Amino acid sequence: MTDLLDSLLNLPDYSAMAWVLIIAATYLTGISKGGFAGGFGSLSVPLMALAIGPLEAAGLLLPLLLVMDALSIKAWWGKQLWSELRLILPGAAIGIACGTLLFGELNENMIRGLLGIISLLFAAYMLFKPTTQRPLPQWLALPAGTAAGFTSFFAHAGAPPYNLYMIPRQHPKAAFIATTVVAFGGINLMKLGPYLALGEINVTSFSASLLLVPVAWAGVKSGLWLQSRVNETLFFRLIIIAMAIVGVQLLYKAWG
């Protein structure tokens, strides 16, 4: 028992700047999980990857995401649309399986480059997101879920392909948020097994995750509070700028 406690207290040897970025990313992800400015969640791993390894960042964040998912699902349960989830989640499972199979083929810089591209594509999506007035056909849920599962596996950044399908479906806001939190709760749970098997989650990363649980909790509570009180437009503009800057920096770090 003492050895286990010693291991859990053996925190990663990160710099002060790395901890600042990790705490900021965790808090912003919590806000997103609370239902406010959902784009914040896709900034977490790219932001952390500026200071630590991208796979290390993804492994550190997943236990926190599961805690945030539990809090968010509890708040929104009962309003989700099972008709959408029945198609999105199987697609996500396919995407996660593809990510797992490709894991060994990508080195750290390749993944940083992938994160940079995802960040820039996300910023472009947020800037030019579709405004179609016609709902998309439901069969597109499967490929959208597959893309969301794949990008989520590497960067916890499944929001762009998911939103490309879900936003034009024009569901009521409460149903959209509830379906989103349940969908990504399921996606994150499906990633847990592969992350453990691949070593992305270990005792050291888990000790850091435990330390950040209060930050995650505060973020979720802040998101629940903000959604009915603050206009999201400014936050979305800030996230577009942040994602673009982080994307360029990651590409430079990967290939510069």
Side-chain angles (χ1 to χ4, degrees):
M1 181 63 73
T2 302
D3 291 341
L4 177 60
L5 289 174
D6 288 342
S7 297
L8 289 174
L9 292 173
N10 184 26
L11 295 173
D13 186 21
Y14 297 145
S15 67
M17 180 54 67
W19 277 112
V20 168
L21 292 175
I22 289 167
I23 290 170
T26 301
Y27 183 71
L28 291 175
T29 303
I31 289 176
S32 174
K33 286 291 183 180
F36 180 79
F40 276 128
S42 295
L43 182 60
S44 54
V45 171
L47 188 60
M48 289 184 186
L50 292 174
I52 64 176
L55 295 177
E56 190 177 0
L60 188 154
L61 191 59
L62 183 58
L64 293 168
L65 288 174
L66 292 171
V67 171
M68 294 183 233
D69 289 333
L71 294 171
S72 300
I73 289 171
K74 181 180 178 181
W76 290 100
W77 186 259
K79 298 176 182 177
Q80 68 272 18
L81 300 170
W82 289 110
S83 60
E84 300 285 13
L85 291 168
R86 279 194 290 267
L87 295 173
I88 291 169
L89 289 176
I94 295 171
I96 291 167
C98 292
T100 304
L101 292 173
L102 288 172
F103 177 85
E105 305 299 321
L106 303 174
N107 62 38
E108 194 168 275
N109 278 333
M110 291 172 68
I111 292 173
R112 277 202 177 92
L114 178 62
L115 290 180
I117 292 170
I118 289 172
S119 298
L120 292 175
L121 289 175
F122 184 87
Y125 161 76
M126 293 293 290
L127 191 60
F128 304 109
K129 59 186 177 181
T131 56
T132 178
Q133 297 300 310
R134 297 182 58 188
L136 296 176
Q138 197 172 33
W139 64 265
L140 286 172
L142 186 65
T146 301
F150 183 79
T151 55
S152 183
F153 180 83
F154 287 105
H156 304 312
Y162 174 88
N163 285 336
L164 280 172
Y165 166 74
M166 279 294 287
I167 288 177
R169 296 283 293 169
Q170 301 179 22
H171 294 301
K173 182 178 180 180
F176 172 81
I177 294 173
T179 304
T180 300
V181 298
V182 173
F184 282 99
I187 288 171
N188 289 329
L189 190 60
M190 285 190 280
K191 290 186 291 190
L192 182 59
Y195 270 45
L196 288 168
L198 294 168
E200 289 194 60
I201 297 176
N202 51 55
V203 174
T204 302
S205 71
F206 188 67
S207 65
S209 300
L210 284 177
L211 185 66
L212 292 165
V213 167
V215 179
W217 178 87
V220 172
K221 292 297 182 181
S222 296
L224 292 168
W225 184 86
L226 286 168
Q227 61 162 310
S228 61
R229 294 172 173 85
V230 178
N231 190 308
E232 295 185 58
T233 302
L234 176 61
F235 285 86
F236 276 120
R237 288 174 182 170
L238 291 174
I239 208 69
I240 291 170
I241 295 170
M243 289 294 286
I245 292 172
V246 169
V248 170
Q249 288 180 324
L250 284 171
L251 287 175
Y252 178 78
K253 195 167 186 177
W255 299 322

